[in-house]
Amino acid sequence: MAAEPTDTPQEGASASAGGTQVIDTREGFGQAVLSALDECAEAGARHLWLCDRDFARWPLGQPAVIEALTRWASSRRQLTVLAAGYDGFAQRFPRWVHWRRQWSHIVQCLAVHEEVADKLPTLLFAPERVAVRLHDGERYRGRVYRETADLVSCRELVEALSQRADDSFPVTTLGL
C-alpha cells in the first residue's frame, strides 16, 4: 500500500521514498494512532474501525487517546472494534472501558470467529480519510495510509472480517 505524503513525520515515524509515513517504534505507533484520532475528531469522520487480535500494543489507556476519542464522538458517529476476544481488556484499558460506557450507543465490539482471528490486522481505519496499520507488531513496523486505493483495501478487509464476527464484550455484565 502506498500513501500520500504527510506534513511532517512524527517521532518514531519517518518519511520514506514518496513521502510515505513509516512507523518504526512503539512510540511512533502510539503517536500515529493519536494523530489519526485527532484528525478524525477535527474532520468529523463518521466511522472508525479499531482492529487487533488483543490490542496489547495499543495506547488505549492513555488519557490523550481518550480525550481524542471524546472529541471525535458525537451524534451520528460509529466506532466498531474488531478483536479475537476481549479477555483482559478491562484490566489493561480501564479508562477506555469507562469511556465506552459513556458512549455505548456508538460503540460496537465484535469478536471475530476463531477461523479468521489470525487474519485480524493491527489497524485503525477511518473510511475515506486515514488508516494506521502495523504490519510487524513485534518490531512496531507499519505505515499511515491516505491514498484511495489503500483505504478501499482496508474497507474491504474490515467489512469481510466483520461479516465473520459476533457482538461481544457487553457494556455491563449482569450476574446472580
Side-chain angles (χ1 to χ4, degrees):
M1 293 183 179
E4 290 180 0
T6 56
D7 294 336
T8 57
Q10 295 149 10
E11 185 178 325
S14 59
S16 67
T20 301
Q21 184 178 342
V22 175
I23 299 165
D24 58 6
T25 65
R26 181 180 192 136
E27 295 77 23
F29 174 63
Q31 186 58 46
V33 166
L34 182 56
S35 293
L37 290 173
D38 284 339
E39 176 183 334
C40 290
E42 189 162 318
R46 292 173 110 18
H47 197 168
L48 287 177
W49 295 81
L50 302 180
C51 306
D52 198 309
R53 185 167 181 74
D54 61 8
F55 288 91
R57 296 173 184 89
W58 287 70
L60 294 179
Q62 293 181 357
V65 169
I66 300 303
E67 290 170 19
L69 280 168
T70 301
R71 280 186 278 111
W72 167 79
S74 70
S75 64
R76 299 188 196 132
R77 304 271 169 98
Q78 175 73 35
L79 171 63
T80 303
V81 182
L82 283 169
Y86 293 90
D87 293 340
F89 209 87
Q91 290 77 23
R92 273 193 307 247
F93 307 118
R95 284 186 181 112
W96 187 88
V97 171
H98 177 75
W99 176 85
R100 184 208 174 189
R101 279 189 205 113
Q102 293 177 291
W103 296 98
S104 62
H105 59 288
I106 65 168
V107 179
Q108 180 182 28
C109 292
L110 302 173
V112 298
H113 299 168
E114 190 174 319
E115 65 270 11
V116 296
D118 288 337
K119 294 180 176 143
L120 269 172
T122 299
L123 174 69
L124 178 151
F125 172 58
E128 302 169 5
R129 177 150 299 281
V130 65
V132 176
R133 185 167 183 182
L134 277 186
H135 296 283
D136 178 351
E138 297 301 315
R139 293 178 188 84
Y140 288 90
R141 304 291 190 249
R143 295 185 184 271
V144 176
Y145 299 104
R146 296 181 184 284
E147 287 188 3
T148 302
D150 299 325
L151 298 178
V152 167
S153 176
C154 288
R155 176 188 293 276
E156 290 170 354
L157 177 61
V158 296
E159 287 178 353
L161 289 167
S162 68
Q163 291 173 8
R164 307 286 313 247
D166 298 310
D167 281 328
S168 187
F169 197 46
V171 174
T172 59
T173 305
L174 300 177
L176 298 176

